Amino acid sequence: MFSLLEMLIALALTVVLIGAAVPLVAANSGVSATAPEMLDEQQRARLGMEELSRDLAMAGAGLSVGALAGPLVSSFAPVIPRRMGLTGADAYTVARPEAVTIIYASASPAQSVLMQPMTSPSDALQVDPAVGCPLGTQVCGLQQGSTALLFDRSGRFDLVGILGLTGGAASIEYRQPGPPAFSYQPGAAVAEAELHTYYFDAANLQLRHADGAHSDVPVVDNVVALSFEYFGDPYPPTSPKPPLGTANCLYDAAGALLGGMSILPAAGGTLASLPLAAFADGPWCGAGSNRYDADLLRVRMVRVSLRVQVSNVMMRGRSTDFLVPGLNRGPHSIPDYTMRFDVSPANMGSRR
Amino acid sequence: MTILKSERQRREEGSALLVVLLASSLLAALGLALAALGSVETVIASNQRAGSQLAYAAEAAAEGVLADLLTIPSWSDVLTGLANSRLHGHAVPPVGPGEPPMTLTQLTATVQSEFDILGSWGANHPRWRLFAHGWLTELAPMATADSDEFIAAFVADDVGEGDGDPLVDSNGRIQIAARAMSARGIHRSIVMTVEQTSSLTSTGVPGVRVLTRKEIR
């Protein structure tokens, strides 16, 4: 049996050890609870940045064959600050800070020019196989379910879904709620393309991605803010230039450049800040529901700000570090995490 | 001197070791769990950094090729091998852990086969040729000393040309594939179509315009 002295010494040692260990354990338990949440928060922000920067970096990649080869921004605006596509599309007069639509020709070899005119939405798509198409392919290799981009020198563009292939022609559906932009003539560019709309779903606190057709999925959860800022060429655009006899948003039918667009001050560099209001006041290029403000042809850089929060409401406090307040009143709260980055799409830069 | 122990003391022998072992195991498990959490994050961040560095290295390789093309008046010479890049450095591409060694010839064949999957253009089918290769530090000496990116650039005729000869550039357009790779076994590629401009540079050579630039992962 233990003696009284041994018991007292043991008790005293236990009290001292526990007294020393409790704060350590308490601190560690706080860290072990917050660390995974913090990692998850940063991981989601990183995923959002990866997705957005990848598509923004590709924005405006165009065709490598035909007379309209080159960056898409020479023909129309491939970065548009609104939702586009079959469902949930904004009106063309809308410019939203928390949504962006990005268009680029895919890496597929399905690139050519239109062979037959398309004057009605029910017309099939027929392309010239002699202009860059792989041998032995139907409609230049476009597949059922893929998306094709049509545009010409006028500044108009349309995205269509390939419904089926029959005898060298593709039946299509237009990927916008309204009527198609234009009746395209032979020689208009056709390419397999991608449309990516990213937007902030405030109701569900999500960054979502839509492909303009039937897919609209969340990319990142617990997003509390998303915004896009635009920077671009201080000088008014000079492309697209339509053929003589045709006017567009930049040129009259005689080929003279229209006035009305001002030279903007460069903001601390070679690019000018382009406020959203500049994208909602015209002049309007394109046609139908795919119209866009001519100032969008200036865009050269996009600044993205993505703010995420921890998913656990017990880890969020009530200070200004939290856009959506939580229930935490103790020391172990994790503030919102904001990732801000600039993307200068290589295909929208200045001409070499 | 012999120490006499009671029966109870003998029964308790080794119990302290067990207690210590249990406590140590518990602490070790806790520590390992936290370390694993941290190391996963470190690996993810490291891979992302490596991927970004490779993407920039591929960009640098593409820019290097463009600079070379500005000095070559006839791009047919580029396609046939008469004109080459100034970057002819290290000649052994790095491979990932456990992968067999690769030669530049095999790397060129890989680029060709990746392109062949896209389709056939018959007599105009582009033939990819190695144009430049070496460590990034050989192309850009200002790159950090611990940089381990290997870059290789390939050229081929464009697919929109119908002259029936992939070694002749008759429309002033060619393709460039710039690839950056590292010993981690990952790589990034940029594929561009470029064309000669009608305006001449100060050296009397046509300028270069990038028609398309796409990153391939």
Side-chain angles (χ1 to χ4, degrees):
Chain A
M1 293 298 290
F2 297 108
S3 69
L4 180 62
L5 184 64
E6 284 174 333
M7 283 290 287
L8 285 173
I9 292 171
L11 273 173
L13 280 174
T14 307
V15 167
V16 168
L17 281 174
I18 288 178
V22 161
L24 201 68
V25 170
N28 276 336
S29 79
V31 169
S32 63
T34 55
E37 291 283 349
M38 194 180 287
L39 292 179
D40 175 68
E41 185 187 47
Q42 292 180 3
Q43 197 70 270
R44 283 183 284 109
R46 187 183 295 150
L47 172 70
M49 184 187 78
E50 282 271 313
E51 294 289 310
L52 282 161
S53 57
R54 187 190 59 214
D55 284 325
L56 278 169
M58 288 285 285
L63 281 69
S64 56
V65 302
L68 290 169
L72 296 181
V73 73
S74 298
S75 302
F76 66 91
V79 175
I80 300 177
R82 68 172 191 262
R83 288 178 63 183
M84 298 180 77
L86 268 180
T87 54
D90 295 312
Y92 71 87
T93 50
V94 171
R96 295 166 55 177
E98 80 294 358
V100 69
T101 294
I102 301 156
I103 300 167
Y104 56 85
S106 70
S108 131
Q111 301 183 1
S112 187
V113 298
L114 206 59
M115 198 159 69
Q116 296 293 330
M118 294 179 68
T119 54
S120 138
S122 60
D123 283 348
L125 179 70
Q126 287 180 275
V127 303
D128 186 347
V131 183
C133 295
L135 300 178
T137 55
Q138 270 200 85
V139 199
C140 210
L142 286 170
Q143 304 287 325
Q144 184 177 356
S146 63
T147 299
L149 169 69
L150 286 98
F151 64 95
D152 60 17
R153 293 181 185 282
S154 70
R156 301 172 173 103
F157 73 95
D158 273 299
L159 285 144
V160 298
I162 306 299
L163 298 177
L165 304 170
T166 318
S171 53
I172 57 170
E173 64 168 353
Y174 282 84
R175 292 270 167 88
Q176 66 253 3
F182 190 54
S183 55
Y184 293 95
Q185 298 304 310
V190 181
E192 186 169 352
E194 295 182 31
L195 177 146
H196 299 274
T197 293
Y198 290 94
Y199 68 97
F200 175 48
D201 178 353
N204 296 303
L205 297 181
Q206 290 173 332
L207 166 66
R208 294 185 71 92
H209 171 267
D211 68 353
H214 307 289
S215 164
D216 186 338
V217 294
V219 179
V220 179
D221 282 324
N222 278 294
V223 173
V224 287
L226 171 70
S227 68
F228 300 94
E229 292 174 76
Y230 300 87
F231 299 84
D233 196 338
Y235 292 92
T238 54
S239 296
K241 187 172 187 181
L244 282 177
T246 307
N248 71 359
C249 54
L250 302 178
Y251 291 89
D252 64 21
L257 200 58
L258 299 170
M261 293 182 72
S262 56
I263 299 174
L264 303 173
T270 55
L271 298 181
S273 174
L274 303 171
L276 273 182
F279 304 142
D281 61 353
W284 301 104
C285 303
S289 53
N290 285 343
R291 266 174 281 193
Y292 54 92
D293 193 292
D295 283 302
L296 284 166
L297 295 163
R298 299 181 192 244
V299 172
R300 299 290 180 270
M301 187 181 91
V302 182
R303 176 166 296 161
V304 185
S305 182
L306 176 69
R307 182 168 175 166
V308 296
Q309 67 177 11
V310 286
S311 51
N312 187 346
V313 72
M314 297 307 295
M315 294 286 172
R316 296 202 303 270
R318 309 187 73 83
S319 71
T320 51
D321 290 338
F322 305 91
L323 216 55
V324 179
L327 302 175
N328 187 301
R329 294 179 187 277
H332 297 298
S333 61
I334 305 169
D336 294 350
Y337 185 78
T338 301
M339 199 167 257
R340 190 173 287 114
F341 54 96
D342 295 344
V343 183
S344 299
N347 290 286
M348 294 175 70
S350 54
R351 286 167 186 77
R352 185 173 290 273
Chain B
M1 188 173 73
T2 306
I3 298 173
L4 293 174
K5 293 179 179 176
S6 68
E7 178 65 19
R8 186 181 59 79
Q9 281 174 320
R10 267 189 272 109
R11 277 205 312 270
E12 287 178 357
E13 266 182 1
S15 60
L17 179 66
L18 276 178
V19 171
V20 167
L21 277 176
L22 269 174
S24 305
S25 307
L26 208 66
L27 285 171
L30 196 67
L32 281 174
L34 278 174
L37 200 67
S39 70
V40 166
E41 185 64 17
T42 306
V43 169
I44 291 172
S46 166
N47 281 341
Q48 191 189 22
R49 178 167 171 261
S52 298
Q53 280 182 332
L54 281 174
Y56 287 122
E59 284 277 350
E63 289 295 329
V65 172
L66 293 179
D68 287 334
L69 290 178
L70 276 170
T71 65
I72 303 169
S74 167
W75 285 358
S76 292
D77 293 348
V78 172
L79 300 177
T80 55
L82 284 174
N84 274 302
S85 166
R86 66 203 145 91
L87 178 64
H88 270 261
H90 187 72
V92 183
V95 292
E99 292 177 10
M102 178 184 268
T103 64
L104 286 171
T105 307
Q106 288 169 317
L107 182 59
T108 308
T110 301
V111 171
Q112 183 70 53
S113 63
E114 286 171 357
F115 180 82
D116 292 347
I117 291 169
L118 298 176
S120 168
W121 281 263
N124 295 298
H125 193 73
R127 247 183 260 169
W128 289 91
R129 192 184 74 74
L130 182 66
F131 183 66
H133 59 85
W135 296 116
L136 176 64
T137 45
E138 295 175 287
L139 175 69
M142 68 289 292
T144 52
D146 65 343
S147 157
D148 67 341
E149 290 88 10
F150 178 86
I151 53 178
F154 306 84
V155 290
D157 206 0
D158 71 307
V159 297
E161 195 175 89
D163 60 4
D165 189 345
L167 298 182
V168 173
D169 170 44
S170 52
N171 65 351
R173 284 182 190 173
I174 61 170
Q175 298 181 84
I176 300 166
R179 175 180 292 225
M181 47 210 292
S182 76
R184 287 169 177 258
I186 53 176
H187 64 85
R188 293 284 185 275
S189 296
I190 288 175
V191 177
M192 298 192 296
T193 301
V194 296
E195 73 172 4
Q196 290 182 312
T197 62
S198 53
S199 58
L200 301 180
T201 64
S202 56
T203 56
V205 174
V208 178
R209 187 167 88 103
V210 178
L211 292 175
T212 64
R213 179 193 290 246
K214 292 169 184 170
E215 186 183 339
I216 313 288
R217 295 190 183 196

